């Protein structure tokens, strides 16, 4: 039994219309003055080929291919690019797993990939379970246009925000209490905002859970190429392979989201992908990708870039080296200011513990602290509450989007701020204590007067 959304299985897309069927017939037998003079002449395509500018930068064997790229609009994507992208995805995973380009759907970034998967897998009012803290953009990407609900899997600092069986079961129960049908779990691996990779124990737990509940698992692996330290990254695909779950029922319910926005630092290119083991999901998502295609020029440029193995190898290792250096610089700088971070091994940010700088253990105090940091210290960081963290005082702080000098300046600002805040907190506490003491003193005096007043005055 398929457990997909009605939208993914119905025919209302219009692909069977004679409008598209005519195109397909043309593709099979295209007219060419010399090679196929009896072929079908394409008169069903509203394309302007009369005055295409011949921009010179895109060339194949010395010939400009600008026109070819300007006219290509097939939503299956350029085969050369899809091949290069799946190879790159394998390379990032140490070539322990391979990906079939036929199971890949190109999308305009991971934003579009995640939303498309929601449209394919869930009806409005169905729910996906997400471990907290999670990427704030998911409230928009997963819920906004799809009508899908997010039910949090509450993770806490007590075990380094690990996903546990009881937290998963609790979230599942909570969804049922809210009368929501659970369609799946979505995780980010490596995690945004924690900057940590999922452990094998967590990954096995997730597979067992979705197997038992017969639901989907989406693994958003947008940060897979940013793992700069041990333990190494384990993709969900590797788990399936090692557990011999390939081509089983659960295999079809596991989908990967990827993008070049983080690993290659190209968010403006808008290149993302869905990798699914379910052919129906691939087919439905491909049709939906019409609303967010990756431009042909981008695909062409990137297929050249990613096919250069020397480049990809050097890039991946150099990028990881630089990320580690930046991460270490931030962690040690913050530590000097008495601020610690969750131990992390990936991503472009740290999950920073500022609980000791809160005036009270509340989200109001977290907001107060955040406003102070944005408006008075001049640093834009993200409060944990925006990531649905259940404990006040955690912040996501990015380190890879600026120069080393700027990062140094930011660390200096945090240091001075932390010192001043701690001093104020200590002063306030001792003031409160002395207020308490003086209140207690006057109270004792008052009680003393009441009980012994006469005797005292008589003396
Ligand atoms: C976990 C996660 N998924 C998806 C996205 C969206 O990425 P893209 O730029 O590819 O749309 C982001 C961006 O920050 C992210 O952190």
């Amino acid at each position: 039994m398929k457990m997909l959304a009605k939208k993914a299985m119905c025919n209302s897309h219009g692909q069977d219309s004679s409008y598209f069927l005519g195109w397909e017939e043309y593709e099979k037998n295209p007219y060419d003055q010399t090679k196929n003079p009896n072929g079908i002449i394409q008169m069903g395509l509203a394309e302007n080929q009369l005055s295409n500018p011949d921009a010179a930068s895109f060339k194949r064997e010395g010939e400009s291919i600008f026109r070819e790229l300007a006219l290509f609009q097939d939503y299956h994507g350029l085969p050369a690019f899809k091949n290069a992208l799946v190879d790159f995805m394998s390379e990032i995973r140490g070539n322990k797993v391979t990906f079939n380009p036929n199971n890949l759907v190109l999308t305009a970034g991971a934003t579009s990939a995640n939303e498309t998967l929601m449209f394919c897998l869930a009806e409005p009012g169905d729910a996906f379970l997400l471990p907290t803290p999670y990427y704030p953009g998911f409230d928009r990407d997963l819920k906004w246009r799809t009508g899908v609900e997010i039910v949090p899997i509450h993770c806490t600092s007590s075990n380094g925000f690990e996903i546990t069986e009881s937290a998963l079961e609790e979230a599942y129960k909570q969804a049922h209490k809210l009368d929501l049908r659970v369609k799946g779990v979505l995780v980010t691996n490596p995690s945004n905002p924690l900057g940590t990779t999922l452990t094998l124990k967590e990954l096995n737990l997730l597979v067992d859970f979705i197997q038992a509940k017969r639901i989907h698992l989406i693994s958003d692996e947008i940060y897979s190429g940013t793992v700069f330290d041990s333990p190494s990254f384990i993709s969900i695909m590797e788990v399936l392979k090692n557990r011999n779950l390939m081509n089983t029922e659960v295999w079809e319910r596991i989908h990967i989201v990827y993008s070049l926005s983080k690993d290659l630092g190209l968010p403006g290119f808008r290149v993302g992908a869905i990798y699914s083991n379910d052919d129906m999901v691939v087919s439905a998502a491909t049709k939906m990708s019409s609303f967010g295609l990756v431009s042909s020029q981008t695909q062409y440029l990137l297929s050249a870039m990613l096919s250069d193995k020397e480049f990809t190898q050097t890039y991946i290792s150099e990028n990881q080296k630089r990320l580690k250096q930046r991460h270490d610089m931030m962690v040690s700088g913050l530590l000097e200011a008495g601020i610690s971070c969750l131990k992390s091994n990936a991503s472009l940010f740290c999950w920073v513990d500022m609980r000791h700088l809160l005036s009270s253990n509340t989200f109001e105090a977290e907001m107060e602290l955040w406003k102070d940091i944005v408006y008075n210290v001049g640093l834009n960081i993200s409060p944990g509450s925006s990531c649905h963290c259940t404990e006040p005082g955690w912040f996501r702080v990015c380190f890879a989007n600026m120069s080393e000098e700027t990062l140094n300046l930011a660390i200096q600002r945090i240091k001075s701020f932390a010192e001043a805040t701690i001093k104020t907190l200590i002063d306030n506490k001792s003031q409160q204590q002395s207020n308490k003491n003086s209140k207690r003193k006057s109270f004792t005096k008052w009680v003393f007067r009441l009980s012994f007043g006469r005797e005292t005055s008589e003396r």
Side-chain angles (χ1 to χ4, degrees), residues 7 12-13 20 75 105-109 112-113 115-116 119 145 284-294:
K7 206 175 263 125
S12 57
H13 172 264
F20 296 115
Y75 58 26
V105 181
L106 298 180
T107 58
S112 173
E115 190 192 51
T116 301
F119 277 127
R145 300 197 297 184
T286 303
K287 288 180 207 160
M288 289 181 196
S289 73
S290 297
F291 300 98
L293 292 175
V294 182

Side-chain angles (χ1 to χ4, degrees), residues 437-451:
N437 289 346
S438 64
K439 256 191 205 156
R440 201 174 294 141
K441 256 186 207 158
S442 55
F443 179 73
T444 332
K445 253 190 208 164
W446 184 69
V447 174
F448 184 78
R449 267 206 209 116
L450 267 183
S451 4

Side-chain angles (χ1 to χ4, degrees), residues 127-140:
F128 261 76
L129 311 181
L130 267 74
T132 63
Y134 64 76
Y135 163 55
F138 283 148
D139 291 320
R140 172 200 61 201

Side-chain angles (χ1 to χ4, degrees), residues 52 92 139 287-288 367 379 388 400-401 417 423 454:
N52 280 142
I92 283 174
D139 291 320
K287 288 180 207 160
M288 289 181 196
M367 260 303 124
L379 302 173
H388 301 264
N401 58 330
F417 171 72
K423 192 175 172 311
R454 206 167 294 146

Side-chain angles (χ1 to χ4, degrees), residues 107-114 134-138 140-141 186-193 220-223 257-262 266-268 270-273 348-349 396:
T107 58
T111 301
S112 173
N114 279 315
Y134 64 76
Y135 163 55
F138 283 148
R140 172 200 61 201
D141 305 348
L186 185 149
V187 293
T188 59
N189 183 25
S191 160
N192 178 4
D220 180 335
E221 300 186 354
I222 187 172
Y223 292 99
V257 165
Y258 188 52
S259 156
L260 297 180
S261 295
K262 313 296 174 183
L266 300 172
R270 309 307 307 139
V271 181
L348 316 175
F349 34 76
R396 192 193 77 162

